[in-house]
Amino acid sequence: SQQALASELAQAAEHVVSLLPQRLAEGPIRTDWHFVPSAHLGGDAFGYHWLDADHLALYLLDVCDHGVGPALLSVSVLNVLRSQSLPRTDFRSPAQVLYMLNETFQMEKHNNLYFTMWYGVYDRAAGTLDYASAGNAQAVLYPAQGGVADLSMPNMLIGGMPDISYTSSTVAIIPPARLYIFSDGVHEVHLPDGTLWGQDRLKLFLSSPAPGQSELEALYGALETAQGFKGLDDDFSIMKVSFF
């Protein structure tokens, strides 16, 4: 029975991975991602799709805990976003999307599970990115002129309390630029000296991507090396969007 359960969990994990988006390898917008769940099934999920000819939705969510329940909730949220099935919602408005997700997925109706999330909409005609975040899901932008910009908002996580207002912001995208969207498992990695890898190390690592290889896979390897053993305690989910 344990072998049968392990087989079913592996199949479920494969299904979750099958829902992740195809990488965009050509054109003015290109994407890459790296996803390594800490167990058979994790609570992280992410994706992107065109809302219309000019607006590209980008999103990443992190459901608390691991296992079947969190995985099912993350898949449910992905399906809602893909089908644009939230009522009375303009999916080009990140604040509206987070508000309605919070109304729809209250934790007392979903086995006390909540999630953090980052949601953005790139308007390629205007050259802008509208974004909002809930909880500690984050993104950083490396613009053409150099430096790094944090793209996060002090909003409450999704599912904790009904009728919460969410705020959003807008940033100009001037190519070439790189956007990274990630869950906390990418930087909250415990090191042997008792400290965390932290966001500062993450930003420094991503500031100079090595040519000829995926810096996302290299980042995962660097985290394993820094902590001193294989595998991370939390799900590792990061998505890269390059604007040319």
Side-chain angles (χ1 to χ4, degrees), residues 11-234:
Q11 291 180 28
E14 290 176 1
H15 175 65
V16 172
V17 172
S18 74
L19 297 177
L20 300 179
Q22 294 290 320
R23 293 173 176 85
L24 305 178
E26 299 179 349
I29 302 173
R30 302 176 192 177
T31 61
D32 191 14
W33 51 261
H34 198 56
F35 171 64
V36 183
S38 61
H40 277 301
L41 286 172
D44 286 12
F46 52 85
Y48 41 82
H49 64 270
W50 288 98
L51 300 172
D52 55 39
D54 288 322
H55 296 89
L56 177 67
L58 309 156
Y59 41 88
L60 181 146
L61 64 122
D62 179 1
V63 181
C64 67
D65 209 349
H66 306 97
V68 175
L72 288 174
L73 180 55
S74 67
V75 168
S76 296
V77 177
L78 276 187
N79 288 333
V80 164
L81 294 172
R82 286 181 170 183
S83 61
Q84 300 181 47
S85 57
L86 290 172
R88 305 180 304 280
T89 303
D90 181 357
F91 281 81
R92 295 169 299 180
S93 168
Q96 280 192 37
V97 170
L98 295 189
Y99 175 83
M100 287 307 302
L101 285 174
N102 185 62
E103 293 298 292
T104 304
F105 292 98
Q106 281 294 296
M107 60 188 296
E108 70 267 15
K109 296 180 180 179
H110 294 275
N111 200 28
N112 290 321
L113 294 174
Y114 59 86
F115 58 94
T116 63
M117 184 166 187
W118 191 96
Y119 183 93
V121 177
Y122 173 61
D123 184 338
R124 64 178 175 183
T128 57
L129 175 70
D130 295 334
Y131 65 91
S133 58
N136 57 7
Q138 299 173 43
V140 292
L141 175 69
Y142 292 83
Q145 64 270 27
V148 57
D150 288 299
L151 305 186
S152 60
M153 305 294 294
N155 291 319
M156 187 173 178
L157 52 79
I158 303 292
M161 186 181 301
D163 199 25
I164 296 294
S165 296
Y166 289 84
T167 57
S168 63
S169 189
T170 303
V171 63
I173 301 293
I174 302 174
R178 293 175 287 123
L179 173 69
Y180 299 89
I181 309 165
F182 48 89
S183 62
D184 56 4
V186 173
H187 56 85
E188 291 185 358
V189 176
H190 294 273
L191 305 182
D193 62 3
T195 64
L196 291 176
W197 168 271
Q199 296 187 42
D200 290 341
R201 285 190 180 98
L202 173 64
K203 293 173 188 175
L204 180 62
F205 188 96
L206 296 175
S207 64
S208 302
Q213 65 172 328
S214 168
E215 72 267 35
L216 307 187
E217 294 182 13
L219 171 61
Y220 186 82
L223 291 175
E224 287 187 317
T225 299
Q227 72 174 4
F229 55 88
K230 294 291 186 180
L232 302 181
D233 291 335
D234 199 359

